[in-house]
Amino acid sequence: MTQPVDGTESPRARVSFLSQSSTAASGRALRPSAKVLPEHARGHNRALVLQSLFTTGQRSRADVARSTGLTRVTVSELVTELMAEGLLVEMGQRGGARPGKPAILLDIDHSSFQVVGVDLSDFAVFRGAVLDLRGNIVRRAELPLTGITGQAALDRVVALTERLLALVSAPLLGIGVGSPGIVDLAGLVATAPNLGWTNVPLQAYLFERFGVPVVVANDANAAVLAEHSFGDAREDLMLVRIGRGVGAGLLLGGGPLYGSRFAAGEIGHVVVGTDGGQQCSCGKQGCLETWIAVPRLEAKLMDAPSEAGRDDVLREAAGRLGIALAPIVGALNLGEVVLSGPGQILGGLFVDATLETIRSRTMAPFHGDLTLRLTTLGDDIVLRGAAVMVISARLGVS
Amino acid sequence: MTQPVDGTESPRARVSFLSQSSTAASGRALRPSAKVLPEHARGHNRALVLQSLFTTGQRSRADVARSTGLTRVTVSELVTELMAEGLLVEMGQRGGARPGKPAILLDIDHSSFQVVGVDLSDFAVFRGAVLDLRGNIVRRAELPLTGITGQAALDRVVALTERLLALVSAPLLGIGVGSPGIVDLAGLVATAPNLGWTNVPLQAYLFERFGVPVVVANDANAAVLAEHSFGDAREDLMLVRIGRGVGAGLLLGGGPLYGSRFAAGEIGHVVVGTDGGQQCSCGKQGCLETWIAVPRLEAKLMDAPSEAGRDDVLREAAGRLGIALAPIVGALNLGEVVLSGPGQILGGLFVDATLETIRSRTMAPFHGDLTLRLTTLGDDIVLRGAAVMVISARLGVS
DNA sequence: TCATGTTTGTTAGTAAAGCCTACGAAGGGG
DNA sequence: CCCCTTCGTAGGCTTTACTAACAAACATGA
């Protein structure tokens, strides 16, 4: 009972290979789905180099080689290619006194490309931005959404995108869109009630219209990607968006979860508790939305007679959220839950009470390290998530 | 708005590659983690060929080439290799009158290798079996577990494994173990209260002891893999094991979910409902286990005065399970939930009532196709899942 | 001062893998 | 009997990453 051997190399085994000998997967291979050609391996390794510099910039070729496991030769070749494309730049020699030839530091040229991000999740306005590769917002634009739906709403998305494209000041990597509703992997919006959309192939439509790579996904899914990339989050993460409705995005093992019908994260209409509740627009009673959707919460807070009364309102709402989340946190063994919504409502007390409820309803030892907090990305979370989708799809980096 | 274009090829894009242009992922690339060498691609493609024959046997090289996308040349080479290893055999020419040279049918030689599977999840007995590549049980063995724990239990696992190894009648692919408790990716049993184990490196221990590839995983995780491979299940699946305790295994997108602390699926101690409940051994009240664990259910059924009373007991328990599962089904947008446990208790009424509760507490349109059923694999589900783990790890096939 | 060791990045050659082209084998149909 | 189709295999080519080797550039210690 000495070393944790991987159990791979066996003297008695006649079949001496392992399909995926990844360290993390440790003998558990996934079902292969598509053939792999040398060029695919190449793309993967190029993304690996890019990722290495994306997470920690200012590294030399030799640094990248060490961190990726590739040889310096291969890294050099990939770097040459990436520099020719403008994605990487040399930043001069590394300072400090070290033996040997001084290293030439590399970094991603974050301004070499730009991304257009669009957020359709607000009920009153379509928001958009031009972002750089770091996810920083370079320019903004928005168009009001005065109750329009259907084709008119689609036209307004196009108008906003046109306005944003005019603001782009570097080669464009693509357009990312975070849409409310159910969105499939091809960027088809199956249903978005607020926009009156049913089976709108938004991604294909925008691609035909603008001839630029487009990625369309659910707004909460975009948000959780942003939180992961910019919010210093871990690999297993649930992001709960609380607004007029309630939705969530799930990131498991670093990848988004879509669900069997692309409706993962749709927790707004899950009934909470066993003691009734208010009537919901969906026909049921006691849906999560009836407890914590912002309009209802604000109404209750208005009615509250005192500061203590408002705290009680918040505590009860937070408790309901905790009751809904506890089985999810338990089943997925989540380490982190992030809330996105109006900070003045969801701040301190609400977060604390939610966490307390989850803790009291799950097995503490498994979740002792559960953290629950508000996002630090504010209202731009979907915009930045939309950018992450494009950067991830085009560069394999996040 | 014609064709669902992938949004990949853009006339304005300077960066003309996509890290992973998988059809399913559709522009959403995962963060790369490890370098890919030509040999890795080779292993992947070999697994692809094997998988193709695994799911649909009796196919020619040309058939495999068409279904995988690889060329006939490459497939031929891989097949030659796999036949030399004994995994594939030629089954003679295809019958029926077709133009052209008749095809030589291939199939996996399911008896060419065997796997040892061990199930430690029963409280009274360690069960084991020798299985073929199809997951059929060839020989069985078991050892009673008369309350022993710690090193004694470990010794008994070794004794059972020794007995099983003596029954193996073909080259051995490896040993798979489904253990209760929290098991990490290296097969270390972090905690298994019933066995009195804490941080027992079972996988490494057995590998050192027997010099054969070993895969150790949680019993529910093994079970869900078995259900997926043999039970005709879909890619998103939750398997709930109901016995002395309650646990679950989750398969999302075809891959198992482990969770941030390898405790995914541990739902037995999630509090259900907002109206109290019985005292649980964990200290809380109203944990799922207090509602549906088999010993408690049996006690209640014994106390029930009539047939109708027993139905009420089952209905209430099923309702509680539904209440616990509803947020999970909703958040993950699960299409399928499978129960594993004593069939005479969990049959008809229990399943129906659980499904009804879930439906009444989630958004129907997203889950109209939710199915909930008992496993068809019976008590061998963990044994067969343990075999799947080994076959999957060694051959990349499931 | 100068030889030595160290680190970096690049050049040349090699091994692995899958592709394309082409070919013989084997059978059906007119 | 000739043409066509399909199957499996050879030979040659391209891509990719690796190993080996080397020049450049710097620190250090005799």
Side-chain angles (χ1 to χ4, degrees):
Chain A
M1 207 190 287
T2 57
Q3 274 300 311
V5 190
D6 191 58
T8 301
E9 293 303 318
S10 155
R12 289 175 60 184
R14 270 177 55 197
V15 182
S16 58
F17 53 85
L18 238 171
S19 69
Q20 301 273 5
S21 60
S22 157
T23 312
S26 174
R28 284 161 187 92
L30 287 182
R31 182 185 293 226
S33 54
K35 65 176 175 178
V36 168
L37 302 171
E39 73 200 66
H40 296 131
R42 176 77 167 186
H44 180 94
N45 288 336
R46 162 163 37 196
L48 201 57
V49 168
L50 221 39
Q51 177 75 50
S52 170
L53 285 159
F54 201 81
T55 50
T56 313
Q58 302 283 100
R59 320 181 69 181
S60 70
R61 292 166 176 82
D63 292 334
V64 173
R66 276 185 292 266
S67 78
T68 58
L70 297 164
T71 57
R72 290 200 308 271
V73 180
T74 303
V75 170
S76 270
E77 194 182 331
L78 290 168
V79 164
T80 304
E81 196 176 304
L82 290 165
M83 279 176 47
E85 288 167 4
L87 279 165
L88 294 186
V89 284
E90 292 188 339
M91 307 290 288
Q93 294 187 353
R94 189 197 318 258
R98 306 204 313 179
K101 174 178 172 177
I104 305 169
L105 294 177
L106 300 166
D107 204 346
I108 291 182
D109 183 355
H110 288 96
S111 58
S112 60
F113 287 87
Q114 289 182 341
V115 181
V116 164
V118 179
D119 175 6
L120 311 180
S121 67
D122 195 295
F123 74 102
V125 64
F126 283 163
R127 307 176 66 232
V130 177
L131 304 95
D132 65 19
L133 292 185
R134 208 180 252 123
N136 291 325
I137 291 176
V138 179
R139 301 291 298 272
R140 290 177 187 273
E142 55 182 57
L143 282 180
L145 178 66
T146 49
I148 60 172
T149 59
Q151 183 66 43
L154 193 53
D155 292 343
R156 197 147 298 185
V157 174
V158 170
L160 175 59
T161 307
E162 278 173 341
R163 190 169 297 193
L164 288 163
L165 289 175
L167 298 175
V168 169
S169 55
L172 183 65
L173 209 56
I175 300 169
V177 181
S179 167
I182 312 294
V183 185
D184 75 7
L185 283 174
L188 176 127
V189 182
T191 59
N194 288 347
L195 298 173
W197 286 351
T198 306
N199 292 328
V200 174
L202 185 57
Q203 181 171 309
Y205 184 73
L206 293 176
F207 175 66
E208 286 224 343
R209 183 73 178 69
F210 297 111
V212 174
V214 179
V215 183
V216 177
N218 173 270
D219 59 324
N221 271 34
V224 76
L225 287 173
E227 190 65 35
H228 181 234
S229 293
F230 305 121
D232 199 32
R234 278 175 280 178
E235 298 278 283
D236 290 83
L237 173 67
M238 181 175 192
L239 187 134
V240 182
R241 279 173 64 77
I242 303 174
R244 287 183 81 188
V246 178
L250 282 155
L251 205 76
L252 299 175
L257 179 78
Y258 298 107
S260 66
R261 310 261 280 205
F262 305 106
E266 296 292 332
I267 56 172
H269 295 283
V270 168
V271 176
V272 184
T274 48
D275 51 357
Q278 290 184 26
Q279 182 70 32
C280 182
S281 59
C282 75
K284 301 195 297 295
Q285 286 189 343
C287 289
L288 183 57
E289 281 195 10
T290 68
W291 295 106
I292 67 169
V294 169
R296 300 216 191 207
L297 256 185
E298 280 175 339
K300 286 184 193 168
L301 289 172
M302 291 281 285
D303 292 346
S306 64
E307 182 74 24
R310 289 217 295 281
D311 283 0
D312 287 343
V313 168
L314 289 175
R315 240 186 297 269
E316 183 188 19
R320 291 292 166 164
L321 177 58
I323 292 170
L325 292 183
I328 301 166
V329 168
L332 303 183
N333 186 221
L334 287 174
E336 191 164 19
V337 176
V338 177
L339 305 184
S340 164
Q344 68 280 11
I345 296 179
L346 305 181
L349 175 62
F350 191 93
V351 165
D352 293 345
T354 305
L355 180 58
E356 176 54 32
T357 303
I358 295 175
R359 285 232 171 99
S360 72
R361 296 175 72 92
T362 55
M363 195 71 171
F366 306 149
H367 308 291
D369 61 342
L370 173 68
T371 59
L372 196 146
R373 59 181 173 82
L374 266 182
T375 175
T376 54
L377 302 179
D379 292 336
D380 293 330
I381 188 166
V382 174
L383 284 179
R384 301 183 71 178
V388 169
M389 297 190 300
V390 174
I391 295 170
S392 170
R394 297 300 310 283
L395 306 181
V397 163
S398 57
Chain B
M1 205 188 289
T2 58
Q3 275 302 312
V5 190
D6 191 59
T8 301
E9 293 303 317
S10 156
R12 289 176 58 186
R14 271 176 56 197
V15 182
S16 58
F17 54 85
L18 238 170
S19 69
Q20 301 273 2
S21 61
S22 156
T23 312
S26 173
R28 286 164 187 88
L30 288 183
R31 182 185 293 226
S33 54
K35 65 176 175 180
V36 169
L37 300 172
E39 72 200 67
H40 297 131
R42 176 77 167 186
H44 181 96
N45 288 336
R46 163 167 32 199
L48 201 58
V49 169
L50 220 40
Q51 177 76 48
S52 171
L53 285 160
F54 201 81
T55 51
T56 313
Q58 302 283 98
R59 321 182 67 181
S60 70
R61 293 167 175 80
D63 292 333
V64 173
R66 276 186 292 267
S67 79
T68 59
L70 296 164
T71 56
R72 289 202 308 270
V73 179
T74 302
V75 170
S76 269
E77 195 183 332
L78 290 168
V79 165
T80 303
E81 196 176 302
L82 291 166
M83 280 175 45
E85 288 167 5
L87 280 164
L88 293 186
V89 284
E90 293 188 340
M91 308 289 289
Q93 293 188 353
R94 191 200 313 260
R98 304 204 314 178
K101 173 179 172 177
I104 304 168
L105 293 177
L106 301 167
D107 204 347
I108 290 183
D109 182 356
H110 289 95
S111 58
S112 60
F113 287 88
Q114 289 181 341
V115 181
V116 164
V118 179
D119 175 5
L120 311 181
S121 68
D122 195 294
F123 74 103
V125 63
F126 282 162
R127 306 177 65 233
V130 177
L131 304 96
D132 66 18
L133 292 185
R134 209 180 250 120
N136 291 325
I137 290 176
V138 180
R139 302 291 299 272
R140 290 177 187 274
E142 55 183 57
L143 282 180
L145 177 67
T146 49
I148 60 172
T149 57
Q151 183 65 42
L154 194 53
D155 292 343
R156 197 147 297 185
V157 174
V158 170
L160 175 59
T161 307
E162 278 173 343
R163 190 168 297 192
L164 289 163
L165 289 175
L167 298 175
V168 169
S169 56
L172 183 66
L173 209 54
I175 301 169
V177 181
S179 165
I182 312 293
V183 185
D184 75 8
L185 284 174
L188 176 128
V189 182
T191 58
N194 288 347
L195 298 174
W197 286 352
T198 306
N199 291 327
V200 173
L202 184 57
Q203 181 171 308
Y205 184 73
L206 293 176
F207 175 67
E208 286 224 344
R209 184 74 178 69
F210 297 110
V212 175
V214 179
V215 183
V216 177
N218 173 270
D219 60 324
N221 271 34
V224 76
L225 287 173
E227 190 64 35
H228 181 234
S229 293
F230 305 120
D232 199 34
R234 278 174 281 178
E235 298 278 283
D236 290 83
L237 174 66
M238 180 174 190
L239 186 134
V240 181
R241 281 173 63 77
I242 303 174
R244 287 184 83 190
V246 178
L250 282 155
L251 205 75
L252 299 175
L257 179 77
Y258 299 106
S260 66
R261 310 261 278 205
F262 305 105
E266 296 292 332
I267 56 173
H269 295 283
V270 168
V271 176
V272 183
T274 47
D275 50 358
Q278 289 184 24
Q279 183 69 33
C280 181
S281 59
C282 77
K284 300 195 296 294
Q285 287 189 344
C287 289
L288 183 58
E289 280 195 9
T290 68
W291 295 105
I292 67 168
V294 169
R296 300 214 191 207
L297 256 185
E298 281 175 338
K300 286 183 194 169
L301 289 173
M302 292 281 285
D303 292 346
S306 65
E307 181 76 25
R310 288 216 295 280
D311 281 0
D312 286 345
V313 167
L314 289 174
R315 239 187 298 268
E316 185 189 16
R320 292 292 166 164
L321 177 58
I323 292 171
L325 292 183
I328 301 167
V329 169
L332 304 183
N333 185 221
L334 287 174
E336 192 164 18
V337 176
V338 177
L339 305 185
S340 165
Q344 69 279 14
I345 296 179
L346 305 181
L349 175 62
F350 190 94
V351 165
D352 293 345
T354 304
L355 180 57
E356 176 54 32
T357 304
I358 296 175
R359 284 232 172 98
S360 72
R361 296 175 72 92
T362 55
M363 195 72 170
F366 306 149
H367 309 290
D369 60 343
L370 173 67
T371 60
L372 195 146
R373 58 181 173 82
L374 266 182
T375 176
T376 54
L377 301 180
D379 292 336
D380 293 331
I381 188 167
V382 174
L383 284 180
R384 300 182 71 177
V388 170
M389 296 191 301
V390 173
I391 294 169
S392 169
R394 297 299 311 282
L395 305 182
V397 163
S398 58

